[in-house]
């Protein structure tokens, strides 16, 4: 499986984030507490509907927001697929 794109809306510290990922290696770097792990958590949450870091969904919601959404588009042996998790809104 290869992840082609990722989006997050009101997820952790991201108000709106949309990434197109390389088919090769993708490296996320930056200072502590800038959101690198949040990107990995968004992938996990969109696939499984739960966080690997917390059981409280409210902790993933950006401060001041009342809804969030995350999703990925990926390629598998059966073709292009997508998965998303939404809390409080419909996309």
């Amino acid at each position: 499986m290869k992840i082609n794109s990722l989006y997050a809306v009101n997820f952790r510290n991201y108000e709106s984030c949309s990434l197109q990922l390389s088919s090769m290696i993708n490296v996320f770097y930056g200072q502590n507490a800038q959101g690198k792990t949040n990107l990995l958590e968004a992938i996990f949450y969109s696939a499984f509907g739960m966080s690997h870091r917390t059981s409280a969904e409210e902790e993933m919601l950006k401060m001041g927001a009342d809804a969030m959404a995350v999703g990925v588009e990926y390629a598998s042996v059966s073709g292009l697929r997508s998965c998303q998790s939404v809390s409080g809104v419909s996309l």
Side-chain angles (χ1 to χ4, degrees):
M1 175 177 79
K2 179 191 137 338
I3 297 175
N4 297 323
S5 63
L6 162 71
Y7 74 85
V9 177
N10 293 327
F11 186 81
R12 296 280 186 182
N13 64 323
Y14 293 105
E15 182 175 342
S16 179
C17 174
S18 179
L19 298 175
Q20 298 298 314
L21 301 174
S22 167
S23 61
M24 300 301 285
I25 296 173
N26 294 276
V27 177
F28 301 104
Y29 67 94
Q31 298 293 318
N32 289 343
Q34 297 302 302
K36 300 176 300 293
T37 303
N38 296 346
L39 295 173
L40 299 176
E41 183 179 22
I43 294 169
F44 190 92
Y45 185 71
S46 66
F48 298 105
M50 58 187 271
S51 170
H52 65 283
R53 296 165 65 187
T54 182
S55 61
E57 196 169 79
E58 305 81 41
E59 291 180 19
M60 295 181 286
L61 188 62
K62 182 173 175 57
M63 292 185 83
D66 58 0
M68 67 178 175
V70 294
V72 295
E73 181 184 272
Y74 63 95
S76 69
V77 293
S78 59
L80 286 178
R81 303 274 187 238
S82 65
C83 58
Q84 66 180 1
S85 289
V86 179
S87 177
V89 294
S90 272
L91 291 180

